[in-house]
Amino acid sequence: AIEQLQFQSGNESTFYTSLCLLNSQDQSYQLCLDTFTATFRNLSEQEIQDYIEIDQPLHSAGSFKAESLCISLFEK
């Protein structure tokens, strides 16, 4: 987790989200894909360690939880 967050520190990351709706009667579907870019703040080793200790993101992709305290990791 520390290495992943150090790698992201000060960098931009592109996130992808999607939704697919399936009509089970005729097997047709609608698909929506959206992307957004976020910029990580320059994170100190102490900030990274504190975040990991508090939010426990060890089983999350990228070692951060988008639905939790990770907003503090981003600049924009």
Side-chain angles (χ1 to χ4, degrees), residues 1-6 48 52 57-58 62-63:
I2 290 171
E3 287 179 13
Q4 286 181 317
L5 292 173
Q6 285 173 333
I48 290 170
I52 292 169
L58 302 178
S63 296

Side-chain angles (χ1 to χ4, degrees), residues 24-60:
S24 61
Q25 292 180 344
D26 66 7
Q27 301 303 307
S28 65
Y29 65 91
Q30 294 178 338
L31 179 64
C32 177
L33 172 66
D34 200 8
T35 63
F36 67 94
T37 301
T39 304
F40 281 81
R41 293 185 308 103
N42 287 316
L43 303 168
S44 70
E45 189 169 330
Q46 187 63 53
E47 288 174 311
I48 290 170
Q49 289 177 358
D50 290 346
Y51 171 73
I52 292 169
E53 183 177 328
I54 293 167
D55 221 15
Q56 297 291 308
L58 302 178
H59 299 291
S60 300

